[in-house]
Structure formats: structure tokens, C-alpha cells
Amino acid sequence: MTPTTLLAIVLGVSAASLAVAWALARWVLRKDDGTPEMRAISDPIREGAEGFLHTQYGTIAKLAGLVTVLLFVLYAFVRKVSPNDPVGAVTLALFTAAAFILGALCSGLAGYTGMWVSVRSNIRAASAARRSGNEAIQVALRGGAVSGLMVVALSLLGVGGLYALLYAVYPENFIGKIPLMIVGYGFGASFVALFAQLGGGIYTKAADVGADLVGKVEAGIPEDDPRNPAVIADLVGDNVGDCAGRGADLFESTAAENIGAMILGATLAYKNPGHIAAPIAFILFPLVARAFGLVASIVGILKVKAASEEEDPMKSLNRGFAWAVALALVGFVVATRWLLYTPAAPQAWWHFALCGAIGIMTSWAFVWITQYYTEYRFRPVQMIANASTTGHATNIIAGISVGLESTALPTLVISTAIVAAYKLGESSGLEGSGLFGTAVATMGMLATAAFILAMDTFGPIADNAGGIAEMSGQPPEVRHKTDRLDAVGNTTKALTKGYAVGSAALAAFLLFSAYMDEVGAYIGKPFESVNIAVPEIFVGGLLGAMLVFLFSAWAIQAVGKAAQSIITEVRRQFRERPGIMAGTEKPDYSQCVTIVTQAALKEMVRPGLLVVGMPIAVGVIFRFIGGWSGRPLLGAETVASLLMIGTISGILMGNFLNNGGGSWDNAKKYIEMGNLGGKGSDAHKAAVTGDTVGDPFKDTAGPSLHVLVKLLSTITLVLAPFFLA
């Protein structure tokens, strides 16, 4: 095998996947866009979502531009030059800055494109429901699949393209150093993802909380009632939070983890010079495995079809997911046998194949664990619903306890996966292959990322379709179909959050290992352990845990502050324009959209800069302390501690917030289905309170923590040389 052949496969599959995404988008957009009444609702949603993203990405672009210039200056003129640098200082600065801006651009493009299609799919899904439930399912999923395929394919195309460019420029014996030159790509993707997820999450939950508290609780009108001035802002929020935000989140996941796995592959290859004849196979294996996963996801997406009009839509989605998982397993076996087989260690390839299987099964386990804790069919949600019958306080107590409990099973699954993958890799017959085994497991978990993201984007499309059907006065049979889609969409969004935090956990271990290997490459000797009993290093870990709690607090506070603005505006409109409630006057939807946009963009800056600034400040401060005290590695060791403890805290907090918020939401929906007194009952009022508390948990702070965990890793990968005295 040659690097040219492998890169051609990676880039070819990426391009083909983009072509499939384009074909799916055309298929969706050829569907009719409903009645004039439907378009009167969907057009403001589309305009609001596009307006928010234009403004948000303008803000992110300014911040990214400053970081690009700063990276170049630091790498070219400030950083201490090391004899182990892959290239000269100015060249390395150029490649790092260029990779950062390319990663940021691709991340933004992936998120925006997915949102662009989703805001045009919602009305087509609502219109399709007038004909058949199966057509509505396919429109919603294929609209979501455009986002899923764009995200994974662009990530793969970016990393593969950068590698191909550098491979063409530098000689054959340089291939192992190339991953160190493109780490900026992962940082750029993570940087955009944090602000996209955080800003979108603040927007969607501020609008949702404002709409619910004034509309459902104070005015007593139904959800998605056209008389509520905040209802369009709420529907806009589903797209900017769950489509654009989650798209950027998973984009940076795949980009950062590809690069981290390539670094570990290069390290393994050069630790075994007599055993591995073709180091390029281990370096490019993550990209080839990801390409096979893209093909598996495409097949799974095309296999989704309802067996009958009465079948639960979730069953058809699960069938498609099963196809994707099965084909991903086959792809992993093929890729490992082809690329990781070496005569000197003939059993290594199937050890790594089992590592990939562990990752794939871990993703499946996370999906089902999340489903257990967030679906109304199971004990946790029903416990919260039953607690609602005795008041608001007992609902809150039950929801918090479910969220805390939900951290246990995912932790056990991830722990088992990491240890099993490490041991399988370690026993492969290749020196130092345990960490590469965990990298392969991470590749396995992300193999079906395109399908998972399609299911995630399915959620807001289905939610919007339900809102459009209700607000445009569609017949009950149409509303019944869109309600079923909406209920399934809530589940798929929760499942995706579970998957995202699970992939973040595996990825964090991979990226932490990549950071240790990168520091070792710069100092010219192994950097394999950090002694947390050293006071400065212990403090680094403590600061990492504190960062997670402070960030979560600021993210939740941001939703509260932005929600206050929208609540004040909705109350003003109800008070000053009584014709709104009488149905004789139309609310001013655009004013609510404008207010929540301004509030969300203002509030996202503080927590975002906290995450970016904290590891840099810790690394630089302790670097100087280490330089003064004769410990040149102290800065790198303290950052390693911050990264390790911050990652662990972030994973647990993310699970707590995601699952607690999701269980509160579905407890409310369980009561609204007619259980425990149904809508309007005291239990329902308590459940609405719990759902409102859970909104910033599950859609703002929780998803943003997925990005935080990986952003910490990508920042440290890019800035590792600055932490060395």
C-alpha cells in the first residue's frame, strides 16, 4: 500500500459522501413546501435561524481571526525553538495558523449547511405528514442526514487534505511528523464548536424558557400557540442549537480525534521499526476507518423506512442504526486486516479489530443507557412524573437524583472499554500499543457518527414540523403524525447527547495520550507520567475540576439572563396588545427573535473565553515557576493534570446535566399524554417547572461540556511547546 492510494481512498470517499449529501438535499427540497398557512410559519423560522447564524458567525470570525494572528506570532517569535521541532519556527507557525483557520472555516461551514437544509426540511416534513407518516419520517431523517454527512465528510476531507498537501511537500521520512503540524485544525474546529454550541444553546433555551413560563404557565395557552410572541424564537432555537451547534460539536470531535489517533499511530510505528514495515498504514488507519464508517452510515440512512403507517418511527430509525453498526463492524475488520497486519506480530490486526468492535459496542451501549434514563417508558422518567403529583419541590428532587444516578452506568461502560481496548492493544505483540488500542476503540465509537448526527438533526426538524402543523391549523390526523415524529425527535436528541458525551470520554483519553506523546516528541524523550502528589500538579487538577463547575454555572446563568429579556418582552406584548390573546392581532415575532439573538451572543462570550484562557494561563504561569525552580517540565505536567481532572469532571457533569434535563422533559410529556391528571393538572404544573429547570441543563451547559472536554485537549495539543521552560 502507498500513501497516495490510502489518501485517494480517504479523499474519494469524503467527496462521494458530500455528493450523497447534495443528492439527499435535492431529494428533500423537491418535496412540496406545504400550504400558504404553513409557509407563513416556516418562513420566519428560516429567516430567524439564518439571521442568528450570520450574526453569531460574524462574532466568532472576529475572535478566530485574533486567535489566528496570536498563534502565528507565538509560534514564530515567542516559542522556544526545540531541536525536535518538525520544521523551522516560521514554517511551523504558518502551518499551525493556516490549519487553525481552515478547521474553523470547515466547522462553521458544516454547521451552517446542516442548519440551512433543516430549516427547509421542517415544512416539507409537515407537508409530507398530510400524505403518509413514512414519507414524513424519510424527509425528516434525510434532511438531518445532510448535516451528518457534511460534518463527517468535511472533517475527513480537511484532515486528509492537509496531510496530502504536506506529504506532497516533504520527503518520505517526514510522514510521522506531519500530524504534529496539523493539530491547529482540531483547535480551530473546537474553537468554533464551543461558541456555536454555547451561543446556540443559550438562544434556544432562553427562547424556550421564555415561551413556556409566560405562555404555558402564566397565560395558560398551549405549546406552539401562534398567540405566543416567543414561539417563533423557540422554533428558531431548535435549529441553531441542535443543528448548527451539535453539527459543529461532532465536527470537532471527528477532526480532533483523527489527528490524535494519527499522532499515536506515528508514535507506535516508530517504536517498532523492525516490526512495522509501513508506518504510513498506522498513521492513516484512522482516516481509512472513518471513511468506511461513512459508507456504513450512508447505507443505514437509506435503509430507514417504516414497515407500516402504525409502526413506531423509533423502530425504523433503530433498524437503520443496526445496519450502520453492522456494516461499520465489517469495515473495521477489513481495515485492520488490510492496514494493521504485520508478519512480525501476526495477531496484532485482530486485536485492533476487537478494539474497534469495543468502540462500536460502546456507542450502542451509550445510546441504550441514555434511552433508559430519558424515555417515558422506563423507571427513571416515570419516577419523576410520579414525584410531580406531590409538588414542584419533589419533582426537582427526583430529577436531580436521576441525573446523578445516570452517571454510574456510562462511567462503568467507558472504564471497561478503555481498559479492555488498552489490554487488547498491549497484548498485540507490538511495543507500546496499548494507547493505540484505545485510539482504535475511539475510531470505532465514532464510526457511525454521521448516522447519529442525522438522528440528532431529525429532532429539531420533527419539532419544527409539529409546530408548523399546529400553528397552521392542520387536521388532527396530520397533527397525530407530527406529534409522533416530535416525540421520537426528543428521544433521538437525548440519545445523541449520550453518544456525544461517550465519544468525548473515549476521545479525551486518546487526546490526553496524544498530548503526552507530543510533549515527549518535543523534549526528545518519553513523557509518560505525572505525579499528582506534587503540590503544583495537584493544584492544576483542582483548577481543571473548578473550570467545569464555573463554566457550567456561567452557561446556566447566561440562559437565565437571556430568558429574562424574552419574558419581559412577551409580558409587554400581552399587556399592551390585548388583541393578541383574543386572536384579532398578530404578535411581533421578529422583536422576540432580535432580543434573544442579542442576549445570547452577549452572554456566550464570558464562559467561552474562560475555557480558552484557563489552560493557557495555567500552563504559562507554571512554566515560569518551573523555570525559576529548575523544573522545566512543570508547566507541561500541571497542564496534563488540569486536562486529566477537567476531563473526568466534565464527562460526569455532562452526563448529569444531559440525562437529568432529558428525564425532566419527558416526565412532562408523559403527563401530557394523559397520565397522572394530564395537562393542566397540579402534577403537570410541577412537571413544567422541572422541564424549565432542565432546559439549560440538557441543551446549553451539558452539550457545551462535550466541546469543553475536547477543546481543552486541542488547546493543549496546539500550545504544548509553550508550556516547556
Side-chain angles (χ1 to χ4, degrees), residues 105-300:
L105 285 171
C106 288
S107 180
L109 177 62
Y112 185 84
T113 304
M115 186 281 304
W116 190 91
V117 174
S118 77
V119 295
R120 288 162 176 79
S121 302
N122 51 20
I123 188 171
R124 288 166 172 82
S127 183
R130 298 184 298 160
R131 296 182 292 275
S132 83
N134 178 58
E135 185 180 348
I137 293 169
Q138 290 190 319
V139 169
L141 182 71
R142 293 183 179 188
V146 174
S147 176
L149 295 176
M150 284 286 295
V151 163
V152 180
L154 275 176
S155 170
L156 197 57
L157 194 64
V159 176
L162 280 173
Y163 194 98
L165 174 65
L166 290 168
Y167 175 73
V169 172
Y170 289 99
E172 182 76 21
N173 62 0
F174 192 79
I175 56 175
K177 296 182 179 180
I178 291 177
L180 296 176
M181 297 178 65
I182 61 176
V183 291
Y185 187 85
F187 181 27
S190 299
F191 185 85
V192 169
L194 178 70
F195 286 101
Q197 181 65 76
L198 186 58
I202 293 169
Y203 181 107
T204 183
K205 288 304 103 181
D208 193 4
V209 169
D212 283 355
L213 286 182
V214 185
K216 288 198 296 187
V217 177
E218 293 182 8
I221 58 178
E223 190 170 1
D224 294 334
D225 192 301
R227 293 173 293 176
N228 191 331
V231 73
I232 295 295
D234 185 11
L235 294 172
V236 167
D238 293 328
N239 297 285
V240 300
D242 289 321
C243 296
R246 199 87 67 254
D249 176 2
L250 286 180
F251 179 92
E252 63 98 14
S253 289
T254 57
E257 283 132 41
N258 282 338
I259 295 169
M262 291 167 75
I263 292 173
L264 294 179
T267 301
L268 175 64
Y270 289 104
K271 278 183 178 178
N272 296 269
H275 292 73
I276 297 175
I280 191 66
F282 281 77
I283 296 169
L284 292 183
F285 169 79
L287 302 187
V288 175
R290 181 59 48 77
F292 287 172
L294 257 176
V295 174
S297 293
I298 290 171
V299 174

Side-chain angles (χ1 to χ4, degrees), residues 128-137 305-313 477 480-481 484:
R130 298 184 298 160
R131 296 182 292 275
S132 83
N134 178 58
E135 185 180 348
I137 293 169
K305 182 179 180 182
S308 69
E309 282 296 303
E310 298 306 315
E311 184 183 46
D312 182 355
E477 60 270 18
H480 174 68
K481 293 173 185 174
R484 292 176 68 198

Side-chain angles (χ1 to χ4, degrees), residues 88 102 166 223 233 255 298 310 317 383 400 405 442 449 462 507 544 547 585 618 632 640 665 704 712:
L102 181 62
L166 290 168
E223 190 170 1
I298 290 171
E310 298 306 315
L317 295 179
M383 182 182 77
I400 290 175
E405 178 191 317
T442 306
L547 171 63
E585 191 175 0
V618 169
D665 188 358
S704 296
L712 287 178

Side-chain angles (χ1 to χ4, degrees), residues 46-68:
R46 186 190 72 245
E47 292 164 4
E50 291 175 348
F52 175 79
L53 283 195
H54 281 141
T55 307
Q56 183 190 45
Y57 280 171
T59 302
I60 294 173
K62 293 174 185 176
L63 294 171
L66 290 173
V67 173
T68 303

